[in-house]
Amino acid sequence: MGDVLSTHLDDARRQHIAEKTGKILTEFLQFYEDQYGVALFNSMRHEIEGTGLPQAQLLWRKVPLDERIIFSGNLFQYQEDSKKWRNRFSLVPHNYGLVLYDNKVAYERQVPPRTVINSAGYKILTSVDQYLELIGNSLPGTTAKSGSAPILKCPTQFPLILWHPYARHYYFCMMTEAEQDKWQAVLQDCIRHCNNGIPEDSKVEGPAFTDAIRMYRQSKELYGTWEMLCGNEVQILSNLVMEELGPELKAELGPRLKGKPQERQRQWIQISDAVYRMVYEQAKARFEEVLSKVQQMRPAMQAVIRTDMDQIITSKEHLASKIRAFILPKAEVCVRNHVQPYIPSILEALMVPTSQGFTEVRDVFFKEVTDMNLNVINEGGIDKLGEYMEKLSRLAYHPLKMQSCYEKMESLRLDGLQQRFDVSSTSVFKQRAQIHMREQMDNAVYTFETLLHQELGKGPTKEELCKSIQRVLERVLKKYDYDSSSVRKRFFREALLQVSIPFLLKKLAPTCKSELPRFQELIFEDFAKFILVENTYEEVVLQTVMKDILQAVKEAAVQRKHNLYRDSMVMHNSDPNLHLLAEGAPIDWGEEYSNSGGGGSPSASTPEAATLSEKRRRAKQVVSVVQDEEAGLPFEASPESPSPASPDSVTEIQGLLAQGLRAESPPPASPLPNGAPAGETPQPEAAPEASSPPASPLQHLLPGKAVDLGPPKPSDQETGEQVSSPSSHPALHTTTEDSAGVQTEF
């Protein structure tokens, strides 16, 4: 590798790359400085004027759960230096950096990891053929001849390859298809999280950066969505540089690479990765320098904004009126002919998979809470509650249980519309919707935790505990339905704008863009940092299509499509003091409701036991496929204890629950994981209720109440505490970071 890099990346070429990178960064960072003032003004104006958004009904977790690992297990990794496959102990901490150790012992002894992978910008490939096709396309003229040795050979039929257009690639394989599916879900979760690298709570720096990226690319005649808007600011900036620098290097160096096609492919991957790292370091230094500069200027800009807020708003409105008078006739014609007819089609294409995903979130939440209630009742009441609530609290971050929700978005297609509107990929919409799903799941779980904890203060009996869980579940589901509708409507509006605005700007550019500089004279010099002609022009263009987008989403809600609520709906009697409960200290279910008691075991008093206990506590995780390294195949996973009598549906849980209630015997000494007595195998076909899911299986525990076994639907009632029938209800999970999970930058 050293010979390849020294040959093709000598000092002269490295200097050329640094100069080219510096030129691109200088141009971009000027856009960033310009956008920073605009974003600061918008943020301060937003704080004063408010949002007007509906009040969320669900709570959100302010303090993350500590010491959690998302996933861990063993997998084979291909070592490029030795060209051999090695078994690695792998884990994913809360920050979603994939951490690889030589083995589990190395992890427990806190030996530094062999590799830490930040997967922002990567794609997962599940076959070597897919990978070879991408490699062949990345460097023209290097497609290997039929029958020749490929660049990579996998010892099993179940590879997972992390591919990046610029950075190094990572090669893994598993022994079974089931393990491949699990690790694919985990790695996709890592990518989804790392791609969303700009903090949501960044109200100035984040918008300034993304607007600067858009403005810079539009200055290069690049409109539409950009697939490489992935990761933190420095990663995105590196991708921006490589977008320009990569083709130039490929044209220069490609013909000079020697050897067989697969060897030239390998050389190009090494060169591209080396250049990407050089660009990254240079981009990091320059961005941090400019960020420090604008942050030092921020207090002075804030003082001007506070003093002259009204004048700035008046000046901006005057500018907008002049631009509107100039472009409105052209923009309205463009919207009417090229955008308006397609809005319903785009909206429907977005609504179907997104709403299916949110419905699946509801289903998973309902099933997990129902399953927990069953387990608690059969295993001795409140003594087991802490254990099960601790698991439930991490549901939103359980990559396998959430996979059924995320995969609904994979069916999103904008066939015919994608090319028309210059949408390079739908992945940006898929990942955004999936992030919303995870957030809503966690909000639902946290709200359930908070309300149930309040109920437990009343000291309920075993039967009262079951009723409380069911009552809280129904309240949370109604709140989830309301928030789900609000979140989805906002997502649809944003996605429609993201599709249509770049298209309109590109259409209007030939006749409008050259005329914009003449409007600069309308801006007072003192306000030039907070008002930009280009931004105001885009806002005017947005307003021309916004009315049609709002109307389309409103009509869908009025027709109750996909259980969307009307904007006029208000949740009456909707726990006005609920948000006060979230101000308390985080709930530690393991400490408060553990069945281990306060006495402890004699072994816990020894230093050896304490060390073992600490190791186990450190390794608390959402899900694990760790095996005994001395036993069997390293890839045969057992994430949870297998049970021959574990029910797979809410209907089967209902049958077990009914049977358990009829049998007036004490809980079994050795319950199965689902809470059913040992030796009792559920027989769904024998249960008369098995024809359809119940509104709530736990209603069997409420004597004197009729049980509605019809398929439940979210309530159409618009009153506050009207119970929503839980047809589909999901659970939430949260995790936090581990000291071993510090990510590298790429």
Side-chain angles (χ1 to χ4, degrees), residues 3 32 169 186 200 234 243 275 280 295 346 364 594 634 661 679 703:
D3 292 340
Y32 180 70
H169 306 157
V186 171
E200 296 284 342
V234 180
E243 185 179 34
V275 172
Y280 181 92
Q295 287 177 340
I346 301 173
V364 173
S594 173
L661 199 64

Side-chain angles (χ1 to χ4, degrees), residues 213-339:
I213 289 285
R214 189 184 71 255
M215 292 294 186
Y216 176 84
R217 298 188 79 248
Q218 287 176 183
S219 71
K220 307 294 183 182
E221 305 298 325
L222 297 171
Y223 295 83
T225 58
W226 184 39
E227 279 193 279
M228 294 310 294
L229 190 68
C230 304
N232 58 38
E233 290 89 344
V234 180
Q235 289 172 314
I236 295 170
L237 195 46
S238 302
N239 295 338
L240 187 73
V241 173
M242 291 298 292
E243 185 179 34
E244 293 188 41
L245 190 59
E248 177 185 316
L249 284 175
K250 195 178 298 184
E252 282 187 31
L253 299 180
R256 302 183 184 184
L257 300 179
K258 307 298 182 182
K260 296 179 180 180
Q262 55 269 34
E263 182 59 31
R264 297 204 302 274
Q265 292 170 350
R266 189 176 290 109
Q267 291 174 14
W268 173 248
I269 294 171
Q270 294 172 358
I271 293 170
S272 179
D273 177 61
V275 172
Y276 186 71
R277 290 171 180 271
M278 291 168 53
V279 169
Y280 181 92
E281 293 302 325
Q282 191 172 345
K284 182 180 180 182
R286 289 290 303 278
F287 180 72
E288 289 176 350
E289 177 186 336
V290 172
L291 182 61
S292 175
K293 174 184 173 182
V294 295
Q295 287 177 340
Q296 289 175 5
M297 296 168 55
R298 181 168 177 165
M301 290 192 288
Q302 287 175 320
V304 173
I305 293 172
R306 290 192 189 98
T307 303
D308 300 327
M309 174 71 78
D310 291 340
Q311 292 93 322
I312 296 173
I313 293 174
T314 301
S315 178
K316 182 177 179 180
E317 290 176 348
H318 176 67
L319 173 65
S321 67
K322 295 297 184 181
I323 294 177
R324 187 178 299 110
F326 168 65
I327 73 161
L328 194 59
K330 303 173 185 178
E332 287 182 337
V333 171
C334 191
V335 169
R336 185 167 58 248
N337 294 338
H338 300 290
V339 177

Side-chain angles (χ1 to χ4, degrees), residues 362-418:
R362 195 181 196 272
D363 288 339
V364 173
F365 177 58
F366 171 71
K367 185 180 183 302
E368 291 294 320
V369 174
T370 300
D371 212 358
M372 180 199 72
N373 204 351
L374 173 68
N375 290 343
V376 168
I377 295 303
N378 281 347
E379 294 189 13
I382 201 168
D383 286 344
K384 277 289 189 179
L385 184 63
E387 176 186 340
Y388 285 107
M389 283 301 297
E390 199 171 58
K391 292 179 180 178
L392 182 67
S393 68
R394 306 191 292 267
L395 177 58
Y397 293 85
H398 193 303
L400 305 183
K401 290 184 177 180
M402 289 297 294
Q403 182 62 16
S404 63
C405 310
Y406 297 149
E407 66 187 9
K408 301 294 183 185
M409 286 303 298
E410 296 306 317
S411 63
L412 175 62
R413 298 288 184 274
L414 295 176
D415 297 332
L417 301 172
Q418 196 163 327

Side-chain angles (χ1 to χ4, degrees), residues 660-731:
L661 199 64
R662 295 188 193 106
E664 298 180 357
S665 56
S670 301
L672 295 173
N674 65 344
E680 181 177 300
T681 304
Q683 301 292 337
E685 63 275 13
E689 307 84 30
S691 59
S692 61
S696 171
L698 296 173
Q699 289 183 3
H700 287 281
L701 297 181
L702 308 179
K705 289 192 177 183
V707 180
D708 178 13
L709 298 182
K713 292 187 172 67
S715 171
D716 289 341
Q717 299 292 332
E718 298 184 1
T719 56
E721 284 303 303
Q722 176 68 31
V723 172
S724 165
S725 303
S727 71
S728 31
H729 329 7

Side-chain angles (χ1 to χ4, degrees), residues 62-73:
K62 297 179 182 178
V63 181
L65 301 178
D66 293 330
E67 297 177 3
R68 293 289 180 255
I69 295 170
I70 302 292
F71 197 85
S72 66

